[in-house]
Amino acid sequence: QVQLLQYGGGLAQPGGSLGLSCAASGSIRSINDMGWYRQAPGKQRESVATISNRGVTNYADSVKGRFTISRDNAKNTVYLQMNSLKPEDTAVYYCNAQVRVVVHFSDYWGQGTQVTVSS
């Protein structure tokens, strides 16, 4: 069994910063890509940022230059540093990991964390 536990998030003012972390645990043989997704009320879930196991990153255009994704492979943990936050960043954020337990990789998701940007 694999579990992804998220930490962080909360309330920030516009222009402020927040950090998220997500730790994977359980019967993990290896992890491929890890990433952060978000879902705002009434909208579909969208990709925010992803990072490969070699550190190659991809960002949504809306967060480029403001958000930074990183990971610690030894700890099976992915991070998201969010700076210069905007009200439109308000959403529930989910971490994702492509985990190999036995042979094939499968997607696992964190429990979700609310991020609210408001004055």
Side-chain angles (χ1 to χ4, degrees):
Q1 188 74 319
V2 175
Q3 191 174 24
L4 269 62
L5 286 178
Q6 297 180 216
Y7 305 91
L11 175 65
Q13 292 187 339
S17 298
L18 287 173
L20 300 174
S21 63
C22 172
S25 62
S27 303
I28 298 171
R29 294 195 65 180
S30 62
I31 300 178
N32 195 5
D33 288 357
M34 303 183 82
W36 292 95
Y37 294 72
R38 67 187 181 187
Q39 187 166 18
K43 294 187 177 182
Q44 290 188 331
R45 188 175 298 189
E46 63 175 356
S47 175
V48 175
T50 61
I51 183 168
S52 74
N53 56 9
R54 297 190 177 187
V56 178
T57 59
N58 281 288
Y59 295 93
D61 288 342
S62 59
V63 306
K64 281 181 181 177
R66 300 188 298 119
F67 290 11
T68 302
I69 189 171
S70 60
R71 66 190 279 177
D72 184 332
N73 290 333
K75 296 181 179 180
N76 292 331
T77 299
V78 62
Y79 307 92
L80 186 69
Q81 179 62 38
M82 303 179 288
N83 298 329
S84 302
L85 283 163
K86 302 176 181 181
E88 50 264 43
D89 294 319
T90 296
V92 177
Y93 284 69
Y94 298 90
C95 66
N96 169 271
Q98 297 173 352
V99 179
R100 183 166 69 110
V101 174
V102 180
V103 176
H104 302 292
F105 285 93
S106 298
D107 278 317
Y108 292 87
W109 294 90
Q111 78 274 22
T113 301
Q114 178 68 47
V115 170
T116 302
V117 184
S118 175
S119 55

